[in-house]
Amino acid sequence: MAITREDLISQSVYDFVKAGVVARGYDAGKVEFRESFPYTVEEEQLSRSLVCVGFSFDNGGTPGELGSNLRLREYTIELFIFGKDQGWGRNLASAVKFTLDADGRIPVLNYADLAKPVIDYLVVESVASERQVIPDPEPYQENVWVVTAKVTDEYYADAV
Amino acid sequence: MPQPDLAGFADAQARLRDGFGELVTFRSAPSETYPPGTPLDPETGKPYDVTIVPTASGASEWIVKCDVAFRAINRAGIGGDSNPTPAGLFEESHIMLIANSAAASAAASAVQFDVRGDTFKITSRKFDGVGGVQRHLTYGRKE
C-alpha cells in the first residue's frame, strides 16, 4: 500500500472536522465539504457555504529524543471557509475552529484498513481563524475565512 | 384578445433545431472499478491509495441534436477564448446548448459534452420556454 503517513494525517483531520461540524448541526443543506481548494466555483452566488482543505505543510520535524529515531513533526493544515454571506463565513469559521480545538487531539485513522481503526493521535497545538481579503473577488470569494490548525505528529521514523 | 399559438411556437423551434441544430455528444462521469477490498474515499469514489489503478473504467455517451449559442463579449471583456464572427465578438469558453425538452432527459446524467471539436464541462442546466416548457438549456464551460 502506498498511503503515506501524511495522507493519513490529512484525511484524518479532514474527516475529524467534517464529523465535528456536522454534529454541531451544520448539515449538508447548509454546508458542503470539499477535499480540495476550489479554484473555480460555477455559481454566481453560493447557495450554501463551503469548507475546503487548502494547503498543508510541515516544519521539517525535530528529533524527539536522543538515541532513537523518534520524530516530532508539526503539520500546518489550512481550511478555507467560503461563506455564502459574511455572517455564515464568520460563524462557520468559528465552528471549524472550535471543532478542531474540542478534544486537544485528533485521532489518526488507518485508511488502508476498511474498518479505519484509530492507530494514533495528533496533538493540537493551535487553531486560529482569520478573514482573507481577496482583491477583485469572484462572487464566491467575498466572504472567505481561513482556519489554520497546527498539529504535532509523534512517530518512529522507521515505522512509517 | 387573440390567444398566442404556443404549440405552434414550440413546433417552429423544434423544426428550427431539426434543420440547423448540431449533433452534440454528452458523456457521463467515468465509472471505475477497483480490486475487491480496496478502501475507497466515499466522497471522491477513488482509493485512498493513489497508486491503485482501476480494473475497468468507462463512460456512457448520448448524442443529442442541439442549437449552439455562445456568449457575446461585453465591453469590459470576459476572460477566455474569443472569436470574431459576422454577429460580433463572441466568447467561446462559455457555451449554451438548446435542446428539445424530451431529448434533454437522455443526457440528464451527463457531466460534459463535445461540440465543435472541444470538450465542455456542464455547469448548469434548466428547462425554459414561453408560456410553458418547450426546451432545455445546458450551460457549459471549456475544460
Side-chain angles (χ1 to χ4, degrees), chain A residues 12-156:
Chain A
S12 296
V13 171
Y14 174 78
D15 285 348
F16 181 80
V17 169
K18 184 175 180 180
V21 172
V22 170
R24 287 170 183 259
Y26 298 84
D27 56 36
K30 300 172 187 150
V31 177
E32 179 184 333
F33 291 83
R34 296 193 181 186
E35 289 189 359
S36 61
F37 184 88
Y39 287 96
T40 58
V41 173
E42 305 291 355
E43 290 178 51
E44 289 298 318
Q45 205 65 45
L46 289 177
S47 58
R48 68 271 175 267
S49 301
L50 307 177
V51 178
C52 315
V53 177
F55 306 104
S56 168
F57 49 93
D58 65 67
N59 71 341
T62 53
E65 62 187 5
L66 285 175
S68 86
N69 58 5
L70 183 70
R71 303 282 297 173
L72 303 176
R73 186 177 293 268
E74 184 182 88
Y75 289 92
T76 301
I77 298 173
E78 294 184 334
L79 295 117
F80 282 71
I81 286 85
F82 297 84
K84 69 176 186 176
D85 57 37
Q86 181 171 308
W88 261 103
R90 186 177 55 239
N91 179 278
L92 191 53
S94 300
V96 169
K97 177 170 63 182
F98 293 124
T99 295
L100 282 161
D101 247 357
D103 196 27
R105 60 181 190 165
I106 296 173
V108 178
L109 310 183
N110 182 10
Y111 291 92
D113 187 327
L114 286 171
K116 298 178 188 172
V118 176
I119 55 172
D120 210 341
Y121 285 91
L122 303 168
V123 176
V124 178
E125 305 288 351
S126 68
V127 187
S129 65
E130 181 183 8
R131 184 166 188 175
Q132 291 287 301
V133 177
I134 297 177
D136 192 20
E138 297 287 337
Y140 74 95
Q141 295 173 325
E142 288 178 1
N143 302 292
V144 181
W145 267 257
V146 178
V147 176
T148 306
K150 291 182 184 293
V151 297
T152 299
D153 182 28
E154 192 176 315
Y155 63 98
Y156 287 100

Side-chain angles (χ1 to χ4, degrees), chain A residues 1-3 11 14-15 18 33-35 40 42 111-114 116, chain B residues 37-44 48-52 94 121 123 141:
Chain A
M1 298 292 278
I3 303 178
Q11 190 68 43
Y14 174 78
D15 285 348
K18 184 175 180 180
F33 291 83
R34 296 193 181 186
E35 289 189 359
T40 58
E42 305 291 355
Y111 291 92
D113 187 327
L114 286 171
K116 298 178 188 172
Chain B
T38 303
L40 300 177
D41 185 338
E43 271 189 34
T44 62
Y48 290 112
D49 184 345
V50 295
T51 62
I52 294 178
H94 295 81
K121 178 185 173 189
T123 56
R141 183 171 182 163

